[in-house]
Amino acid sequence: RDDAEANIEFVGFLNFKNVLKAETRQVLKELDDGNIRSIMVTGDNVLTGINIAQECNLIPAGRRVLLGSAISLGGEIIWIDSATDEVVKTPTLDMFHNSAAPVSLAMTGETWSKLLETSPGYAIQLSKHILVYGRCTPNDKVSVVSTFVKESNITLMCGDGGNDCGALKTAHVGIALSRAEASVVSPFTS
C-alpha cells in the first residue's frame, strides 16, 4: 500500500448525490393515507437514511429521532439523539404515547441484530416505531423483513441491487427497481 500511495497528488473530491424523485413525497403520503406503513432499510449510512427519510417526510417534520447507533463494550445498545449526537436513555414504550413530544427510531443493521438476539420481544415492540434501518448487510435486510413477516404483516420490499435479493425473496412481494432488462435481482422478485 505504501508503494501504491507514494508520490500521488490530491486533486479533489468527487461528490455523488442522488436526488429524490418529484413524486416521492406524494407517493409516501398516499401510502400513509391508505394505512400502509413505509420504512427504509438501506445499506447506506444510517444518518444518510435519516436525512433522506426527513426530506421525503417518511419521518415527519420536527420529529425527534433516536438512533441505536453502536454497541458498547458491555454489549448494550448506545442510543443517541440523531440531531444533537447526545447519548440518551434506552427508549421505553411509554415515550411513543406522548403526542406532545413525538419520537421515531432508527437503527443500524448491527444494533438491530443485537437487539433481536438479546431482547426479541422488545425488538418486536420497538420495530413498530423504527422508520430507518441503516448500514444494513444483506442478512440484516432479510432479518428486518422476516421479522415483519413473522409478525403477520404483509410485506413488500423494493430493492435495486444484488444485496437486496434475500430480502426481496423473503417479502410477500418483492419489486426490483432496475432499468436493466436482465437485472441481477429479477429472479428474486415476486
Side-chain angles (χ1 to χ4, degrees), residues 5 70 85 97 117 171 186-187:
E5 293 177 354
D85 287 336
H97 303 294
E117 173 191 318
S186 62

Side-chain angles (χ1 to χ4, degrees), residues 136-182:
C136 289
T137 65
N139 287 339
D140 295 332
K141 292 178 182 187
V142 170
S143 172
V144 171
V145 173
S146 65
T147 297
F148 283 100
V149 169
K150 287 176 190 169
E151 288 300 303
S152 300
N153 293 288
I154 302 300
T155 59
L156 179 144
M157 169 72 181
C158 295
D160 64 356
N163 60 347
D164 298 316
C165 292
L168 289 167
K169 189 68 176 170
T170 301
H172 292 97
V173 178
I175 298 177
L177 303 174
S178 175
R179 291 192 173 137
E181 291 274 337

Side-chain angles (χ1 to χ4, degrees), residues 21 31 49 52 55 57 59 72-73 81 87 90 102 110-111 118 130 138 140-141 147 149 152 155 160 169 174:
K21 292 183 178 181
L31 290 169
I52 292 167
E55 189 177 336
N57 297 327
I59 295 175
S72 73
L73 294 176
D81 183 311
V87 175
T90 299
E110 178 185 35
T111 56
T118 59
I130 302 170
D140 295 332
K141 292 178 182 187
T147 297
V149 169
S152 300
T155 59
D160 64 356
K169 189 68 176 170

Side-chain angles (χ1 to χ4, degrees), residues 7-82:
N7 301 319
I8 60 175
E9 183 179 331
F10 176 75
V11 292
F13 289 106
L14 182 60
N15 186 15
F16 293 97
K17 181 179 181 183
N18 291 329
V19 295
L20 288 178
K21 292 183 178 181
E23 64 271 13
T24 301
R25 287 178 193 86
Q26 183 59 33
V27 168
L28 288 171
K29 182 185 180 316
E30 289 174 16
L31 290 169
D32 189 54
D33 290 347
N35 204 26
I36 297 171
R37 181 170 178 243
S38 299
I39 64 170
M40 180 187 302
V41 183
T42 181
D44 290 340
N45 183 290
V46 69
L47 293 173
T48 300
I50 291 169
N51 184 277
I52 292 167
Q54 290 169 327
E55 189 177 336
C56 68
N57 297 327
L58 182 64
I59 295 175
R63 173 83 48 105
R64 184 177 185 207
V65 180
L66 302 183
L67 168 58
S69 62
I71 301 169
S72 73
L73 294 176
E76 299 294 320
I77 294 173
I78 299 169
W79 291 89
I80 62 168
D81 183 311
S82 68

